[in-house]
Amino acid sequence: MSLAYLPEQVEETNIALDLAERAAEHLRYSVQTLYQQRIDQAWVEQLANRPDLAEKIGAFVSRFGRLQDHLGEKLLPATCRLLGAQPKSLLDVLSYSERMKWLDSAEEFIGARKLRNLLVHEYMTDPRLFLEALQSAQPASEMLFTVIAKIKNEMMQRGVPRHPGVIAHER
């Protein structure tokens, strides 16, 4: 028999997954309300005079960045450690996550990180670039939601208890 996971890593991974699910719920709300609107160059150009839309963008960008950061810095590394992997860098984490099929592409995940920076820094300075970033952020958000679902599924398949303190299952 071999262990399907390291029991001492269960609590950390559960906490990271719980926080990711909560952050994803908030981002999902922002995605649904933001992308109900037709977002084009004119929409972006009116942001300077529409504080209500600017606030919506601010909430979306903040939630997108927070979830992307959390997955890269907490959930993916914790899940790697849960399975006994000891990646030393973000690239190691992403590479392992790609091999485990939690990510379709490490490059796509890094692209979401760059997208976050564009959404923060190009706001109100380059409407065309900001529009492109906004249009790319919707599928990138879906990618983040998919990562969480795949990790949750991995944990369920391995019999990882969702509540800390439960004895680990063996294969």
Side-chain angles (χ1 to χ4, degrees):
M1 269 195 252
S2 63
L3 286 174
Y5 58 90
L6 297 176
E8 64 271 20
Q9 298 296 323
V10 169
E11 183 175 357
E12 176 190 11
T13 309
N14 272 322
I15 290 169
L17 181 58
D18 288 345
L19 290 174
E21 288 180 318
R22 277 190 253 152
E25 187 176 315
H26 292 159
L27 177 59
R28 194 170 279 115
Y29 175 79
S30 288
V31 167
Q32 289 169 348
T33 59
L34 179 63
Y35 291 100
Q36 284 178 343
Q37 304 173 54
R38 181 169 185 241
I39 298 176
D40 56 16
Q41 184 85 21
W43 189 91
V44 169
E45 289 172 354
Q46 70 176 333
L47 286 174
N49 301 317
R50 294 277 313 267
D52 57 322
L53 294 179
E55 184 176 56
K56 187 174 284 299
I57 290 291
F60 170 75
V61 170
S62 173
R63 291 170 177 174
F64 180 83
R66 192 175 315 129
L67 183 58
Q68 201 277 335
D69 283 347
H70 181 75
L71 295 184
E73 295 172 8
K74 303 291 184 194
L75 183 58
L76 290 171
T79 309
C80 291
R81 287 189 294 276
L82 178 73
L83 302 186
Q86 296 295 327
K88 293 180 174 59
S89 69
L90 176 62
L91 291 179
D92 291 341
V93 168
L94 297 179
S95 177
Y96 184 81
S97 299
E98 197 176 57
R99 284 194 311 274
M100 295 302 293
K101 309 269 188 229
W102 304 330
L103 290 177
D104 289 339
S105 161
E107 196 171 300
E108 183 181 6
F109 191 85
I110 290 171
R113 189 177 197 92
K114 291 177 182 173
L115 185 58
R116 177 199 62 188
N117 293 337
L118 281 175
L119 289 168
V120 170
H121 298 298
E122 297 305 325
Y123 181 43
M124 303 248 211
T125 59
D126 185 340
R128 184 194 52 77
L129 190 57
F130 187 69
L131 174 62
E132 290 174 12
L134 268 180
Q135 291 171 336
S136 297
Q138 187 176 18
S141 297
E142 294 302 324
M143 181 266 299
L144 299 177
F145 301 147
T146 300
V147 168
I148 294 168
K150 287 180 176 179
I151 287 177
K152 187 174 182 178
N153 186 53
E154 177 85 39
M155 291 174 67
M156 287 175 41
Q157 294 292 320
R158 291 177 177 271
V160 176
R162 281 304 302 255
H163 302 287
V166 177
I167 296 174
H169 295 119
E170 294 183 359
R171 278 191 176 174

mmCIF file of all heavy atoms in Angstrom, residues 53-79:
data_model
loop_
_atom_site.group_PDB
_atom_site.id
_atom_site.type_symbol
_atom_site.label_atom_id
_atom_site.label_comp_id
_atom_site.label_asym_id
_atom_site.label_seq_id
_atom_site.Cartn_x
_atom_site.Cartn_y
_atom_site.Cartn_z
ATOM 1 N N LEU A 53 -18.932 52.499 -13.319
ATOM 2 C CA LEU A 53 -18.265 51.462 -14.115
ATOM 3 C C LEU A 53 -16.824 51.261 -13.653
ATOM 4 O O LEU A 53 -16.331 50.131 -13.615
ATOM 5 C CB LEU A 53 -18.285 51.836 -15.599
ATOM 6 C CG LEU A 53 -19.653 51.876 -16.270
ATOM 7 C CD1 LEU A 53 -19.514 52.274 -17.733
ATOM 8 C CD2 LEU A 53 -20.382 50.561 -16.129
ATOM 9 N N ALA A 54 -16.181 52.365 -13.306
ATOM 10 C CA ALA A 54 -14.806 52.267 -12.824
ATOM 11 C C ALA A 54 -14.744 51.441 -11.535
ATOM 12 O O ALA A 54 -13.813 50.653 -11.334
ATOM 13 C CB ALA A 54 -14.231 53.662 -12.592
ATOM 14 N N GLU A 55 -15.750 51.590 -10.698
ATOM 15 C CA GLU A 55 -15.796 50.801 -9.461
ATOM 16 C C GLU A 55 -15.971 49.316 -9.773
ATOM 17 O O GLU A 55 -15.345 48.451 -9.162
ATOM 18 C CB GLU A 55 -16.940 51.302 -8.575
ATOM 19 C CG GLU A 55 -17.002 50.599 -7.242
ATOM 20 C CD GLU A 55 -18.092 51.190 -6.367
ATOM 21 O OE1 GLU A 55 -19.264 51.231 -6.807
ATOM 22 O OE2 GLU A 55 -17.757 51.614 -5.251
ATOM 23 N N LYS A 56 -16.805 49.029 -10.769
ATOM 24 C CA LYS A 56 -17.018 47.635 -11.191
ATOM 25 C C LYS A 56 -15.716 47.026 -11.720
ATOM 26 O O LYS A 56 -15.372 45.895 -11.398
ATOM 27 C CB LYS A 56 -18.126 47.579 -12.247
ATOM 28 C CG LYS A 56 -18.547 46.191 -12.642
ATOM 29 C CD LYS A 56 -19.734 46.202 -13.563
ATOM 30 C CE LYS A 56 -21.034 46.492 -12.869
ATOM 31 N NZ LYS A 56 -21.447 45.568 -11.843
ATOM 32 N N ILE A 57 -15.001 47.817 -12.518
ATOM 33 C CA ILE A 57 -13.706 47.354 -13.039
ATOM 34 C C ILE A 57 -12.729 47.127 -11.890
ATOM 35 O O ILE A 57 -12.012 46.125 -11.850
ATOM 36 C CB ILE A 57 -13.114 48.392 -14.028
ATOM 37 C CG1 ILE A 57 -13.924 48.431 -15.304
ATOM 38 C CG2 ILE A 57 -11.642 48.093 -14.336
ATOM 39 C CD1 ILE A 57 -13.821 47.198 -16.157
ATOM 40 N N GLY A 58 -12.728 48.062 -10.948
ATOM 41 C CA GLY A 58 -11.824 47.932 -9.807
ATOM 42 C C GLY A 58 -12.078 46.654 -9.019
ATOM 43 O O GLY A 58 -11.141 45.948 -8.637
ATOM 44 N N ALA A 59 -13.357 46.347 -8.808
ATOM 45 C CA ALA A 59 -13.698 45.120 -8.071
ATOM 46 C C ALA A 59 -13.263 43.891 -8.859
ATOM 47 O O ALA A 59 -12.668 42.955 -8.304
ATOM 48 C CB ALA A 59 -15.201 45.073 -7.793
ATOM 49 N N PHE A 60 -13.522 43.908 -10.165
ATOM 50 C CA PHE A 60 -13.140 42.761 -10.990
ATOM 51 C C PHE A 60 -11.626 42.561 -10.985
ATOM 52 O O PHE A 60 -11.135 41.446 -10.755
ATOM 53 C CB PHE A 60 -13.638 42.936 -12.433
ATOM 54 C CG PHE A 60 -13.071 41.901 -13.360
ATOM 55 C CD1 PHE A 60 -13.540 40.602 -13.334
ATOM 56 C CD2 PHE A 60 -12.036 42.231 -14.226
ATOM 57 C CE1 PHE A 60 -12.987 39.630 -14.167
ATOM 58 C CE2 PHE A 60 -11.493 41.281 -15.054
ATOM 59 C CZ PHE A 60 -11.968 39.976 -15.028
ATOM 60 N N VAL A 61 -10.888 43.628 -11.231
ATOM 61 C CA VAL A 61 -9.425 43.528 -11.304
ATOM 62 C C VAL A 61 -8.848 43.063 -9.974
ATOM 63 O O VAL A 61 -7.973 42.197 -9.936
ATOM 64 C CB VAL A 61 -8.807 44.883 -11.733
ATOM 65 C CG1 VAL A 61 -7.298 44.872 -11.582
ATOM 66 C CG2 VAL A 61 -9.207 45.217 -13.168
ATOM 67 N N SER A 62 -9.365 43.593 -8.900
ATOM 68 C CA SER A 62 -8.890 43.190 -7.575
ATOM 69 C C SER A 62 -9.156 41.705 -7.322
ATOM 70 O O SER A 62 -8.272 40.972 -6.866
ATOM 71 C CB SER A 62 -9.584 44.045 -6.512
ATOM 72 O OG SER A 62 -9.264 43.587 -5.232
ATOM 73 N N ARG A 63 -10.342 41.267 -7.639
ATOM 74 C CA ARG A 63 -10.701 39.855 -7.412
ATOM 75 C C ARG A 63 -9.933 38.920 -8.338
ATOM 76 O O ARG A 63 -9.502 37.846 -7.912
ATOM 77 C CB ARG A 63 -12.215 39.681 -7.586
ATOM 78 C CG ARG A 63 -12.989 40.362 -6.483
ATOM 79 C CD ARG A 63 -14.466 40.428 -6.724
ATOM 80 N NE ARG A 63 -15.127 41.034 -5.578
ATOM 81 C CZ ARG A 63 -16.400 41.333 -5.542
ATOM 82 N NH1 ARG A 63 -17.181 41.111 -6.588
ATOM 83 N NH2 ARG A 63 -16.915 41.869 -4.451
ATOM 84 N N PHE A 64 -9.761 39.334 -9.577
ATOM 85 C CA PHE A 64 -8.998 38.528 -10.528
ATOM 86 C C PHE A 64 -7.559 38.373 -10.035
ATOM 87 O O PHE A 64 -7.024 37.261 -9.981
ATOM 88 C CB PHE A 64 -9.026 39.191 -11.916
ATOM 89 C CG PHE A 64 -8.265 38.442 -12.960
ATOM 90 C CD1 PHE A 64 -8.840 37.376 -13.637
ATOM 91 C CD2 PHE A 64 -6.959 38.799 -13.278
ATOM 92 C CE1 PHE A 64 -8.128 36.679 -14.602
ATOM 93 C CE2 PHE A 64 -6.245 38.120 -14.234
ATOM 94 C CZ PHE A 64 -6.828 37.057 -14.898
ATOM 95 N N GLY A 65 -6.942 39.484 -9.667
ATOM 96 C CA GLY A 65 -5.563 39.451 -9.188
ATOM 97 C C GLY A 65 -5.407 38.649 -7.913
ATOM 98 O O GLY A 65 -4.459 37.871 -7.759
ATOM 99 N N ARG A 66 -6.352 38.815 -7.009
ATOM 100 C CA ARG A 66 -6.287 38.096 -5.731
ATOM 101 C C ARG A 66 -6.383 36.590 -5.950
ATOM 102 O O ARG A 66 -5.606 35.822 -5.364
ATOM 103 C CB ARG A 66 -7.422 38.572 -4.816
ATOM 104 C CG ARG A 66 -7.280 38.111 -3.383
ATOM 105 C CD ARG A 66 -8.349 38.704 -2.458
ATOM 106 N NE ARG A 66 -8.525 40.127 -2.709
ATOM 107 C CZ ARG A 66 -9.714 40.710 -2.927
ATOM 108 N NH1 ARG A 66 -10.821 40.018 -2.887
ATOM 109 N NH2 ARG A 66 -9.802 42.000 -3.148
ATOM 110 N N LEU A 67 -7.306 36.161 -6.805
ATOM 111 C CA LEU A 67 -7.455 34.721 -7.046
ATOM 112 C C LEU A 67 -6.234 34.167 -7.784
ATOM 113 O O LEU A 67 -5.720 33.103 -7.431
ATOM 114 C CB LEU A 67 -8.735 34.420 -7.826
ATOM 115 C CG LEU A 67 -9.004 32.935 -8.068
ATOM 116 C CD1 LEU A 67 -9.087 32.156 -6.750
ATOM 117 C CD2 LEU A 67 -10.286 32.752 -8.877
ATOM 118 N N GLN A 68 -5.768 34.901 -8.793
ATOM 119 C CA GLN A 68 -4.602 34.436 -9.540
ATOM 120 C C GLN A 68 -3.398 34.310 -8.608
ATOM 121 O O GLN A 68 -2.690 33.312 -8.638
ATOM 122 C CB GLN A 68 -4.335 35.405 -10.696
ATOM 123 C CG GLN A 68 -3.522 34.848 -11.823
ATOM 124 C CD GLN A 68 -2.040 34.918 -11.546
ATOM 125 O OE1 GLN A 68 -1.583 35.748 -10.774
ATOM 126 N NE2 GLN A 68 -1.298 34.034 -12.182
ATOM 127 N N ASP A 69 -3.184 35.306 -7.762
ATOM 128 C CA ASP A 69 -2.080 35.247 -6.790
ATOM 129 C C ASP A 69 -2.249 34.063 -5.837
ATOM 130 O O ASP A 69 -1.291 33.341 -5.563
ATOM 131 C CB ASP A 69 -2.019 36.524 -5.946
ATOM 132 C CG ASP A 69 -1.413 37.687 -6.681
ATOM 133 O OD1 ASP A 69 -0.801 37.490 -7.748
ATOM 134 O OD2 ASP A 69 -1.560 38.820 -6.186
ATOM 135 N N HIS A 70 -3.439 33.896 -5.337
ATOM 136 C CA HIS A 70 -3.682 32.825 -4.358
ATOM 137 C C HIS A 70 -3.407 31.448 -4.965
ATOM 138 O O HIS A 70 -2.785 30.598 -4.321
ATOM 139 C CB HIS A 70 -5.111 32.901 -3.823
ATOM 140 C CG HIS A 70 -5.410 31.853 -2.809
ATOM 141 N ND1 HIS A 70 -4.931 31.908 -1.513
ATOM 142 C CD2 HIS A 70 -6.096 30.690 -2.894
ATOM 143 C CE1 HIS A 70 -5.314 30.827 -0.858
ATOM 144 N NE2 HIS A 70 -6.028 30.073 -1.670
ATOM 145 N N LEU A 71 -3.838 31.251 -6.194
ATOM 146 C CA LEU A 71 -3.599 29.948 -6.817
ATOM 147 C C LEU A 71 -2.102 29.711 -7.007
ATOM 148 O O LEU A 71 -1.608 28.622 -6.702
ATOM 149 C CB LEU A 71 -4.317 29.847 -8.167
ATOM 150 C CG LEU A 71 -5.842 29.880 -8.128
ATOM 151 C CD1 LEU A 71 -6.412 29.678 -9.524
ATOM 152 C CD2 LEU A 71 -6.419 28.881 -7.162
ATOM 153 N N GLY A 72 -1.393 30.714 -7.486
ATOM 154 C CA GLY A 72 0.032 30.555 -7.752
ATOM 155 C C GLY A 72 0.899 30.498 -6.512
ATOM 156 O O GLY A 72 1.917 29.814 -6.489
ATOM 157 N N GLU A 73 0.476 31.199 -5.472
ATOM 158 C CA GLU A 73 1.314 31.289 -4.272
ATOM 159 C C GLU A 73 0.882 30.345 -3.156
ATOM 160 O O GLU A 73 1.689 30.032 -2.285
ATOM 161 C CB GLU A 73 1.308 32.731 -3.746
ATOM 162 C CG GLU A 73 1.955 33.702 -4.713
ATOM 163 C CD GLU A 73 1.785 35.155 -4.300
ATOM 164 O OE1 GLU A 73 1.294 35.418 -3.183
ATOM 165 O OE2 GLU A 73 2.125 36.028 -5.110
ATOM 166 N N LYS A 74 -0.374 29.932 -3.155
ATOM 167 C CA LYS A 74 -0.867 29.106 -2.040
ATOM 168 C C LYS A 74 -1.430 27.747 -2.481
ATOM 169 O O LYS A 74 -0.944 26.713 -2.059
ATOM 170 C CB LYS A 74 -1.965 29.866 -1.255
ATOM 171 C CG LYS A 74 -1.551 31.199 -0.704
ATOM 172 C CD LYS A 74 -0.556 31.070 0.406
ATOM 173 C CE LYS A 74 -0.247 32.454 0.975
ATOM 174 N NZ LYS A 74 0.900 32.473 1.800
ATOM 175 N N LEU A 75 -2.497 27.774 -3.283
ATOM 176 C CA LEU A 75 -3.199 26.516 -3.563
ATOM 177 C C LEU A 75 -2.354 25.530 -4.363
ATOM 178 O O LEU A 75 -2.250 24.355 -3.978
ATOM 179 C CB LEU A 75 -4.533 26.775 -4.276
ATOM 180 C CG LEU A 75 -5.368 25.514 -4.554
ATOM 181 C CD1 LEU A 75 -5.688 24.764 -3.252
ATOM 182 C CD2 LEU A 75 -6.637 25.863 -5.313
ATOM 183 N N LEU A 76 -1.765 25.963 -5.459
ATOM 184 C CA LEU A 76 -0.965 25.019 -6.249
ATOM 185 C C LEU A 76 0.240 24.495 -5.466
ATOM 186 O O LEU A 76 0.457 23.278 -5.438
ATOM 187 C CB LEU A 76 -0.540 25.656 -7.581
ATOM 188 C CG LEU A 76 -1.680 25.876 -8.586
ATOM 189 C CD1 LEU A 76 -1.206 26.694 -9.776
ATOM 190 C CD2 LEU A 76 -2.274 24.558 -9.045
ATOM 191 N N PRO A 77 1.014 25.370 -4.782
ATOM 192 C CA PRO A 77 2.135 24.825 -3.992
ATOM 193 C C PRO A 77 1.664 23.887 -2.872
ATOM 194 O O PRO A 77 2.303 22.853 -2.626
ATOM 195 C CB PRO A 77 2.801 26.077 -3.407
ATOM 196 C CG PRO A 77 2.426 27.182 -4.334
ATOM 197 C CD PRO A 77 1.049 26.836 -4.820
ATOM 198 N N ALA A 78 0.577 24.227 -2.201
ATOM 199 C CA ALA A 78 0.081 23.359 -1.119
ATOM 200 C C ALA A 78 -0.339 22.000 -1.668
ATOM 201 O O ALA A 78 -0.071 20.958 -1.044
ATOM 202 C CB ALA A 78 -1.105 24.031 -0.411
ATOM 203 N N THR A 79 -0.971 22.001 -2.835
ATOM 204 C CA THR A 79 -1.411 20.739 -3.427
ATOM 205 C C THR A 79 -0.203 19.915 -3.880
ATOM 206 O O THR A 79 -0.201 18.690 -3.753
ATOM 207 C CB THR A 79 -2.385 21.000 -4.593
ATOM 208 O OG1 THR A 79 -3.419 21.879 -4.138
ATOM 209 C CG2 THR A 79 -3.026 19.713 -5.068
#
